Structure formats: C-alpha cells, structure tokens
Amino acid sequence: MILSIFHRSILGTFALVASVLPVHADAPRPVPALETPPPYQKGAFVHPGGLHTRADLDRMKAKVAARETPWIEGWERLLKDPLAQLEFRAHARPNLGDSRQNASTDAHAAYLNFLRGYISGDDRYIDHAIQICNDWSRAVNKEPSGGDIPGLSAIPIAEFAITGEALRVSQRWKAEDIERFQRMLTGYFYPNCHHFLTTHNGAPISNHWANWDIANIGALLAIGVMCDRTDIYDEGVAYYLRGEGMGSIMHAVYKIHSPGLGQWQESGRDQPHAQLGVGMLAQACQIAWNQGLDLYGVADNRLLAGAEYVARTNLNHPVPYAFYTNSQPANNFWLSSNGINRIDERPLWELLYNHYTVVRGLPAPNTAAMARLTRPEGGSKDHFGYGTLTFTLDAKASPYPPLPVPAAPTGLAAVSGLGRVDLRWAAPPDDTAQGYEIRRGTAADGTFESVFRTSTNTSTTWVDTKVTAGTRYFYEVAAINQVGASGFSKRIDSTPVAAGSLPAGWTFTDIGGASPAGSAACAQADTDTVQVTGPGSGIGGRGESCGFASRQVEGDFILSARLCNLSGKSRRVGLMVRESADPDAKAAFITLGDNGNRQTRFGFRAAKGDKAGQKSGNDYTWVPVWFRLQRVGDKVTASHSGDGMTWFEVGSESVPMSASVQLGFAACSADAKQPVTALFDHVTFSR
C-alpha cells in the first residue's frame, strides 16, 4: 500500500478545512488609571506582618498541637524536608549573585527552620534560622551581580526579607543582628531591585518576562515591611498598580477573555513560569493584605482571573488564547505545552484559595481544584510552599483527604505508530484525579503489568515507546488521587509497526554532502509516518547541509504533518520543498530548531545561490507540533499549529520554482557524531 502523501486521504481532507489564522503582534496593553494607595507612615507597619502575622503563626501552632487535619498533614510533610533540619549548613557569600539559587536555598532553610521551631516550641530551630540569617548579613558586602542580575536575584532577596520579618516574633534574635540584617537589605539588596525596576538593565520595557518584575515587586514590599521603610514599600505597591513592565498587574494578566478568566503573560512560554509568576504575585499581595492594603482585589480581582486561567490550564481543561509578543520578539501563537498539567512543581494554590474563596467568598473553581489536588502542599525551589499548614483557615473548607476516590477513566483510545502507541482517554469528572496508572498486557484476558504511574500530572495522554513492532498490546488505565485509585477502564488494543523502506518514487539524499550518511524510513499504521535521520550543518543560509527524504511533485500542493518525536541534538527539522538537490537551490521550508531547539521558522530562497530569508514563527515550540507547506503558483505559504486543528500562518513568499519540485522531510543535527532523528506522523498530501 502506497503512503498517502501521494493521494488525497481522509485525513488530508479534514486537514484542508482547518483554518489558517493570520496573526498580528499586539503591543503591551495600556494601564488604566488605578487608585493610589494610602501612604504608610513610619512605625505604622504591623510586625510580624510579612507573609504571616502573629495570629497566623499562633493558629499553625495550636492546630498542630491539637493534631487537627489538614494542618497536621502539612506539618508532617514539612518535618521531612531536608531544608527544615538542624544539620543544614548555610553557604553565605559576599555577592549573592554568585549563586542566586544557592541564596534561595539558604533562605528557604531559614524560613522552614523558623516555622519548625515556632510551631514545635523547640528553640534550637529558631536559633538555627537566626544563624543562617546572621551568616548572610555578616558575609554580604556588595550589591548582587552576575547572570540574570539585577533581576532574578530578587527571588532570594524577597525570601530573606520575609524570613527576617517572621523572625521578629522571637526575642532570641539580638537587636544588633537585626539591624545588620536590615542594613544588608536596604544597603545592598534594595538598590539592586530598584535598579532593575527603573532600568530593566537597559532593555526595552517589554523585553523581560513577568516573573522578573514580579520578583522585584515582592522584594520591595517585603524589605519595606522588614525595615520599616515606607518609601520602599510604597515603591513596590506603585509598581504593582501602574508599572510599565510586564509584571505589573495589568500586564501580568495579559488579557481578560471572560469574567473570571484572564490569560497570563507567560502562558505561551511555559507553564512552570506561568505558575511561578502567579505564586510570587500572590505572595506580594499577602504581604500587603497583612498591612491592611488590598492588592488582591485590584481591577476587579484581576489576579484571581489570572490564577484561574493558569489553574485551568494545568487541570487539563481548554482555555482561550490570544497571540502574545514582545520586543524579543516572543511570538507566542498558542498556549505552551511545556510543563503543562504538572501539579507537583509549584506549591502556591492554598494561599490563593484561602484568600479568595475562604476569606472573600469568591468563586474560584479552578484554583480550588488545584488546591485540593496538591493538598497537603510541600515546598519547592522557588516557593516556600507548605500552604496547607500555613494558610489553611477552616478545616471544613479544606478537608483532607479532599476528594472521593475518582471514577474510572472513559473513552480510552489508541493510535498505532512506528515504534509507538499513543494513548488518550477522558478524565473522571470534577477534577478528582491527581494522576493515572496504565497497565499493559499481550492478551485480553492475560496478565497485565503496570507500565506507567504518576500522581503529579493531570494529562490524559501517554505514549508507549517500549514496544515491539508487530506485537498486539492491550491497555487499561485507572485514575489516582490522595484517597486511592479507581477501577480500570475498558481495555483496548493496538499494534505498533516497524519501519519500512521508502516506497517507489521516494528518495533520500544527503544534501550538501552531509556526513555521516543519514537515512529515512516510512510506515503505515493508524497514521502515515516518515522517519528521517539527518546529519549536516544546517538548513538556510546560502545552502543546505541536511538529510532529505522526498519525492517529485508537480504543480500546486499542500503537505501537512505532525513532528511527534525528536532524538539527538536537533539543529533544524521540518518540511521542505526545493527545485533540486543542489545545496543552494531555490527552496522553502518550515522548521523547528533555533534558539535552544524551540523556535519555528519559515525559510525561503527565491534565487539559486541567494542567502535564504527567514521569518520567525512560534518562539516556544515543543514537540509535538504540526507543520504545513502550501504551494499555489509561485507562492509558498508556511503554517504551524499546536494541535493540528487551528493553524497559524508564519509567512508567505514568492519562490519561483519549476513545475516539478522535490517535496518532503528534512533534518540536520550540526553534530557529526550524533545525527538527529525526526519522526513525522499524520502525514497528509493534497493538490
């Protein structure tokens, strides 16, 4: 049977009706006028009044002493944290910027030791937290400098200020040590934060992602409170409200799609960074709240709209998305799949849930669901976490275990491919699943063994690559949460296939003499598949050096395919049309591989020997991604898609080639020792 690229297949017919959407760059939204907050007078701050008040700390202490749920579960998880131990040793340095991650680790250890000491009454842990803070205040003697600094250095700066403010509840920290710690914050750390927010290191105002601004906003608020500096505190508040950078509230929540659902500025970049920004901004709002200022409610609870959007994304529900770009340009055409559906990495949801729903009585269904699925919260490298212990206000509003046993997943389906089986199913209702277990057997009524299990991801897809071609496999899936596991779904079967040789009329060419020699194969399973292994030094410039699997095509065409897997150090891989196999021939191509193997580009060479022009596509692209090349007369149009249904045009250019051209799949690795292998499936062709 001939590969369907030669014919108009059913899949190809469906692909033709999907829309290709033109995209125009949006400038950052203008910030509407917001009410100026009342100025704070020196001495008016509540102490302790950073992330926690004395009432908060006493609540934690009382609930743990009474072994009440869910505080006790959060406490028992904290006790296991390696940073909450007396054996932890700080690594203080004169320049925080030598390693902001190292500084952040030390700040976390100080914070967790403080909590452990205050809640348990064991002063050894309080003393250990004080010692870590003293080590740093004695060591620091310069403003932070280094990579990403000024900027991301504000993450540990905020954490140290928050920890210092919490320690003020203890009488064990000597006055001279507190004063030295405050001098470190105001003399060395504050100037760094102020410099970034006022200059952005000389970059255009939209260049940095939201979390850069957000970290510094939080640092200013925390330093202001800890050091009784109303000017620093008010500077942070003013930037939150009206800052020109991407971390102020009106820019961080980039677009309100509907009441209660606001697109986060970094949602087209990746989901871990989107969650990072939400959590840090919530932390800043909590500091202000503890000082009597409501930043949470600004602009009709805009932060909540952003949190609901990010939560819904990671709960594996569809969200609307509007194109975003900046001065880089970022060019985010669709919601990023990088890090999506993970619920273990960012412990931030209990804070938001308890404020908006428990305190304010506002509906926040997605935020509440994330809080349930992550309960009891642990810690992380960028968030203090442990919000079940520190932010829970009402046991009835925050039950543990928080959910019933999930229902069994439904709709399990499998797609056979070349050396793989793609599984997809429907989640149980009401966001009750933390993860899934997949079992596999080789007979419908035989023995099944677990081949995948997670309790930290809500994704309802999985790819089985540890398969043998020609073997019939049977699969079943169960849902998991804190209570237990559901029953297993109805079983389905699938048979992966082996790679075959290219069909008649197809050729593989190492264009430009690329070496070592590459190769190509194809397969017909549930979807048509082409695999290309390519060496070579590049695609673009004044000529190509790559592996190219192709066939001769006459006239107009549309070629679409999904790039579903990459192995090796990819330089560029994608779809290509060219007039001949000459390295410098007229050609057009759409590829993935630039800027850390994450940028898509449309390249074109309209005259033999010219340097290829190029247009940037999606700047944060992760496999799988869909590509399309279309030729109408002399015009070649390149498009891409995140899901194979909604297509976005990258560019359209006149490339006058002969009627007969070579069309197919290209790959180059720029690594003579390790060629790249690209797997394309859902291949469709039409004229």
Side-chain angles (χ1 to χ4, degrees):
M1 186 175 182
I2 304 299
L3 193 67
S4 67
I5 188 172
F6 301 105
H7 306 287
R8 181 187 295 273
S9 66
I10 294 177
L11 284 171
T13 303
F14 280 118
L16 286 174
V17 302
S19 60
V20 178
L21 304 182
V23 172
H24 304 285
D26 288 353
R29 301 304 201 257
V31 180
L34 296 172
E35 183 179 352
T36 302
Y40 278 73
Q41 302 300 318
K42 183 175 176 60
F45 289 111
V46 175
H47 296 299
L51 197 55
H52 310 297
T53 64
R54 183 181 294 271
D56 294 332
L57 296 168
D58 289 343
R59 180 186 65 249
M60 303 173 209
K61 186 179 182 76
K63 296 298 185 181
V64 169
R67 299 193 63 80
E68 290 190 37
T69 292
W71 296 272
I72 190 63
E73 286 82 6
W75 169 249
E76 290 174 346
R77 187 165 185 181
L78 181 146
L79 294 180
K80 299 175 184 178
D81 194 310
L83 301 185
Q85 313 301 324
L86 294 176
E87 293 75 21
F88 179 87
R89 291 295 176 264
H91 305 82
R93 302 180 183 184
N95 179 15
L96 180 153
D98 286 343
S99 175
R100 65 174 178 82
Q101 291 90 350
N102 169 76
S104 190
T105 297
D106 286 5
H108 282 228
Y111 171 81
L112 295 177
N113 272 272
F114 162 74
L115 282 183
R116 184 168 184 175
Y118 190 88
I119 293 170
S120 69
D122 189 336
D123 289 337
R124 293 178 302 160
Y125 292 94
I126 298 259
D127 291 342
H128 191 40
I130 291 171
Q131 184 61 53
I132 294 171
C133 290
N134 287 347
D135 286 349
W136 274 92
S137 67
R138 291 188 180 107
V140 171
N141 60 16
K142 62 180 70 174
E143 279 191 40
S145 61
D148 296 342
I149 297 169
L152 297 182
S153 52
I155 295 176
I157 288 173
E159 292 166 343
F160 273 122
I162 289 169
T163 301
E165 175 64 16
L167 277 167
R168 292 176 71 143
V169 77
S170 171
Q171 300 301 311
R172 304 179 68 82
W173 201 9
K174 296 178 181 178
E176 60 267 29
D177 291 335
I178 296 175
E179 291 172 1
R180 186 179 59 251
F181 189 81
Q182 290 173 324
R183 288 195 299 272
M184 175 185 73
L185 293 175
T186 59
Y188 297 114
F189 290 173
Y190 163 69
N192 206 252
C193 302
H194 173 78
H195 176 81
F196 180 78
L197 289 178
T198 54
T199 71
H200 287 86
N201 297 336
I205 196 64
S206 69
N207 179 73
H208 292 89
W209 292 101
N211 66 77
W212 287 63
D213 276 353
I214 290 169
N216 286 277
I217 292 169
L220 293 185
L221 289 167
I223 291 171
V225 173
M226 171 61 194
C227 300
D228 286 302
R229 286 284 299 269
T230 58
D231 57 330
I232 295 176
Y233 175 87
D234 286 344
E235 181 182 347
V237 170
Y239 202 95
Y240 175 90
L241 295 173
R242 291 178 299 279
E244 294 182 357
M246 300 300 100
S248 60
I249 185 61
M250 303 304 291
H251 289 149
V253 184
Y254 169 65
K255 177 182 176 61
I256 300 296
H257 288 280
S258 62
L261 203 60
Q263 181 177 322
W264 195 259
Q265 189 254 5
E266 299 193 58
S267 288
R269 180 190 184 193
D270 63 57
Q271 301 316 313
H273 278 102
Q275 292 190 72
L276 171 65
V278 171
M280 289 196 299
L281 211 54
Q283 182 173 277
C285 289
Q286 185 65 20
I287 294 171
W289 180 263
N290 287 336
Q291 295 301 327
L293 179 63
D294 182 14
L295 296 183
Y296 281 115
V298 165
D300 196 23
N301 300 299
R302 195 175 181 95
L303 176 58
L304 175 58
E308 280 290 282
Y309 184 95
V310 173
R312 183 173 174 82
T313 298
N314 287 279
L315 289 167
N316 199 32
H317 296 312
V319 293
Y321 186 83
F323 174 81
Y324 174 81
T325 194
N326 59 12
S327 62
Q328 295 181 19
N331 288 354
N332 297 161
F333 286 78
W334 57 78
L335 185 78
S336 176
S337 63
N338 187 29
I340 201 167
N341 306 134
R342 291 180 60 175
I343 60 173
D344 62 324
E345 188 177 40
R346 301 293 183 188
L348 58 100
W349 299 103
E350 293 279 34
L351 169 57
L352 287 152
Y353 165 68
N354 276 278
H355 177 81
Y356 282 114
T357 297
V358 179
V359 174
R360 303 281 289 277
L362 297 174
N366 300 302
T367 298
M370 284 295 287
R372 289 193 300 269
L373 291 177
T374 57
R375 189 173 297 149
E377 275 187 357
S380 78
K381 63 182 180 181
D382 289 320
H383 303 278
F384 284 144
Y386 296 101
T388 305
L389 169 66
T390 59
F391 297 117
T392 298
L393 300 172
D394 183 339
K396 290 184 179 179
S398 302
Y400 189 83
L403 297 162
V405 175
T410 58
L412 179 61
V415 176
S416 300
L418 198 164
R420 58 189 276 146
V421 174
D422 289 54
L423 299 176
R424 181 179 296 274
W425 58 91
D430 303 324
D431 297 312
T432 53
Q434 282 182 314
Y436 299 92
E437 180 180 11
I438 296 171
R439 297 200 308 190
R440 185 184 73 185
T442 54
D445 56 354
T447 301
F448 276 60
E449 63 175 359
S450 180
V451 291
F452 174 77
R453 182 183 175 91
T454 180
S455 60
T456 60
N457 198 299
T458 62
S459 175
T460 53
T461 63
W462 185 70
V463 181
D464 189 2
T465 57
K466 295 181 179 180
V467 294
T468 301
T471 299
R472 186 183 183 191
Y473 293 99
F474 294 83
Y475 296 91
E476 60 185 12
V477 58
I480 298 167
N481 67 13
Q482 296 99 320
V483 180
S486 72
F488 281 90
S489 67
K490 181 180 178 180
R491 293 174 176 175
I492 52 93
D493 69 285
S494 184
T495 304
V497 300
S501 58
L502 293 173
W506 279 74
T507 60
F508 178 82
T509 306
D510 287 313
I511 294 177
S515 63
S519 63
C522 75
Q524 284 188 303
D526 292 336
T527 68
D528 294 325
T529 303
V530 175
Q531 179 176 284
V532 182
T533 298
S537 58
I539 296 174
R542 295 195 179 277
E544 278 68 64
S545 173
C546 64
F548 185 44
S550 67
R551 65 148 293 160
Q552 211 75 15
V553 173
E554 297 283 338
D556 297 343
F557 61 81
I558 300 176
L559 173 64
S560 300
R562 182 182 74 153
L563 173 60
C564 64
N565 190 56
L566 275 173
S567 60
K569 297 179 180 179
S570 170
R571 175 69 176 271
R572 286 186 180 178
V573 300
L575 311 185
M576 177 182 288
V577 58
R578 57 192 307 115
E579 195 167 52
S580 73
D582 293 342
D584 60 351
K586 298 177 184 179
F589 36 84
I590 181 167
T591 57
L592 172 66
D594 295 277
N595 286 356
N597 296 328
R598 59 172 171 74
Q599 187 180 70
T600 59
R601 287 189 178 176
F602 171 44
F604 48 92
R605 185 181 298 109
K608 181 177 171 61
D610 279 359
K611 183 178 180 179
Q614 62 183 28
K615 294 182 178 180
S616 296
N618 199 63
D619 201 44
Y620 286 82
T621 306
W622 314 101
V623 174
V625 60
W626 297 72
F627 288 145
R628 174 181 291 171
L629 278 180
Q630 180 175 9
R631 182 191 190 192
V632 179
D634 287 340
K635 182 169 286 188
V636 179
T637 301
S639 304
H640 55 5
S641 172
D643 58 11
M645 294 181 287
T646 303
W647 290 83
F648 301 91
E649 181 180 305
V650 181
S652 186
E653 292 289 332
S654 177
V655 184
M657 293 181 280
S658 58
S660 181
V661 292
Q662 293 179 339
L663 176 66
F665 305 87
C668 74
S669 66
D671 183 349
K673 296 180 180 179
Q674 188 182 29
V676 63
T677 297
L679 186 65
F680 300 89
D681 64 5
H682 294 280
V683 176
T684 64
F685 174 81
S686 61
R687 295 186 183 279

